[in-house]
Amino acid sequence: QVQLVESGGGSVQAGESLRLSCAYSSSRYCMAWFRQAPGKEREWVAIIEGVGGRTYYTDSVKGRFTISRYLNDTMALQMNSLLPEDTAVYYCAAGRGAQCYTSDTQFDSWGRGTQVTVSS
């Protein structure tokens, strides 16, 4: 399995920005950010295929969030125009195989998460 560590969470006002980072012990083809809000199921946020590869975003964050990954085994999630509904614990994850899927069952390595709180 891959070891992953997130950083960069915090508390901000609506409309502000945050940048999350994730450092991992080894790279997988498919890397992703998920989030889980209180009382809700974990949901995928953004997925990236390889370094500089295709990216995918859940509808609620399109145009506001950007996922990036780098050759030094790190990736980032730039979050702009944050909304209160973005409040959640954010996790970075490494996918199992050679294709990317949005289901969390296709990811076998997870970080511990970082809290993002957006107030109105």
Side-chain angles (χ1 to χ4, degrees):
Q1 285 198 342
V2 178
Q3 308 301 313
L4 305 103
V5 179
E6 304 95 340
S7 61
S11 297
V12 297
Q13 298 286 321
E16 294 184 341
S17 299
L18 276 176
R19 183 177 178 86
L20 305 182
S21 296
C22 175
Y24 41 91
S25 58
S26 61
S27 183
R28 294 274 185 84
Y29 176 72
C30 188
M31 302 294 292
W33 289 94
F34 283 75
R35 67 185 179 187
Q36 187 166 21
K40 295 187 177 181
E41 292 188 354
R42 186 164 55 190
E43 65 171 346
W44 75 282
V45 175
I47 294 172
I48 186 165
E49 297 175 344
V51 175
R54 293 188 67 175
T55 57
Y56 306 87
Y57 299 93
T58 196
D59 285 347
S60 62
V61 309
K62 284 180 182 176
R64 300 189 297 121
F65 290 13
T66 303
I67 186 172
S68 305
R69 64 187 285 184
Y70 308 97
L71 292 172
N72 64 349
D73 288 350
T74 62
M75 69 175 179
L77 184 68
Q78 178 66 40
M79 306 186 295
N80 298 330
S81 302
L82 282 161
L83 303 170
E85 48 263 46
D86 294 319
T87 295
V89 177
Y90 284 72
Y91 300 89
C92 58
R96 296 178 187 274
Q99 287 186 307
C100 286
Y101 300 92
T102 59
S103 170
D104 60 0
T105 61
Q106 298 301 314
F107 294 81
D108 62 359
S109 299
W110 297 83
R112 291 188 174 184
T114 186
Q115 177 70 47
V116 171
T117 302
V118 184
S119 56
S120 57

